[in-house]
């Protein structure tokens, strides 16, 4: 199936495919898949910008601190944390370096594996997270959650569980 080249500008300046399909996709599949990609990118940019502007804390740093705070002991093995926040191990390592310099977390060796490390949230990290939490939640509600009914949110949660089981659960501590 070939995609048509008919494109109509949308009101936000992003071109929307008008009654066409991406190659290999139906019209509904095109809207579902590219809608997910675009929505995710847009929400990430907006939430990141809000957190940086109001708290000096990028979204990926906020997520790392949040996941650490949810772990029973406040610490998560680096390799597991990288998987949970969708960063490469080297990308997470650079982020952890910055957060460690800022005193928001510390790196600890794993007692059962000398090659492994834990990222551990500090009291300053918990405080910084608490300062940003209400603004973050308000922005997530306004930009995403309030656009759906409770029933639609339940459906969305079920869809995400089907695609990425366990993706919204806190990282295990070991």
């Amino acid at each position: 199936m070939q995609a048509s080249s008919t494109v109509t500008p949308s009101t936000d300046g992003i071109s929307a495919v008008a009654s066409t399909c991406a190659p290999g996709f139906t019209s509904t599949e095109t809207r579902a898949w590219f809608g997910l990609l675009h929505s995710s990118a847009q929400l990430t940019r907006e939430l990141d910008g809000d957190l940086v502007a109001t708290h000096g804390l990028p979204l990926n740093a906020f997520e790392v601190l949040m996941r650490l705070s949810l772990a029973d002991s406040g610490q998560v093995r680096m390799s597991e944390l990288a998987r949970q926040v969708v960063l490469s191990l080297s990308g997470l390592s650079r982020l952890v370096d910055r957060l460690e310099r800022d005193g928001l977390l510390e790196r600890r060796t794993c007692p059962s594996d000398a090659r492994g490390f834990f990222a551990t949230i500090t009291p300053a990290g918990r405080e910084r997270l608490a300062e940003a939490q209400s603004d973050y939640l308000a922005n997530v509600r306004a930009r995403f959650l309030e656009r759906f009914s409770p029933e639609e949110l339940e459906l969305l949660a079920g869809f995400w569980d089907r695609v990425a089981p366990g993706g919204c659960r806190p990282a295990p501590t070991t």
Side-chain angles (χ1 to χ4, degrees):
M1 168 187 326
Q2 282 206 324
S4 164
S5 61
T6 305
V7 175
T8 304
S10 63
T11 57
D12 64 1
I14 298 167
S15 296
V17 179
S19 67
T20 63
C21 306
F25 290 92
T26 68
S27 176
T28 300
E29 289 170 340
T30 297
R31 290 175 44 236
W33 178 245
F34 290 100
L36 170 66
L37 295 177
H38 174 72
S39 297
S40 177
Q42 178 178 321
L43 288 166
T44 299
R45 272 192 311 273
E46 291 172 354
L47 293 170
D48 184 71
D50 291 340
L51 281 168
V52 169
T54 57
H55 300 282
L57 194 65
L59 181 60
N60 59 2
F62 177 88
E63 184 181 5
V64 164
L65 294 175
M66 183 178 61
R67 288 191 179 268
L68 292 174
S69 77
L70 294 172
D72 291 336
S73 60
Q75 68 181 18
V76 176
R77 194 170 173 126
M78 293 281 289
S79 57
E80 177 60 22
L81 189 58
R83 188 185 67 75
Q84 289 288 323
V85 298
V86 195
L87 285 172
S88 67
L89 198 49
S90 63
L92 177 65
S93 185
R94 287 189 300 275
L95 177 59
V96 165
D97 287 343
R98 286 193 305 272
L99 294 173
E100 193 170 29
R101 269 194 314 270
D102 293 343
L104 303 178
L105 61 73
E106 55 188 32
R107 214 180 301 237
R108 294 186 179 161
T109 57
C110 177
S112 62
D113 179 2
R115 297 170 300 161
F117 289 91
F118 286 101
T120 306
I121 192 166
T122 64
R126 288 186 188 280
E127 185 177 318
R128 186 80 171 276
L129 179 64
E131 291 168 358
Q133 189 98 30
S134 62
D135 288 334
Y136 172 77
L137 183 55
N139 285 321
V140 169
R141 286 193 186 289
R143 295 175 190 272
F144 183 72
L145 298 173
E146 291 174 355
R147 296 177 184 216
F148 302 98
S149 70
E151 296 78 16
E152 289 171 322
L153 288 172
E154 189 63 41
L155 283 171
L156 277 171
F159 296 155
W160 304 147
D161 283 344
R162 198 179 321 161
V163 173
C168 66
R169 290 166 184 75
T173 57
T174 56

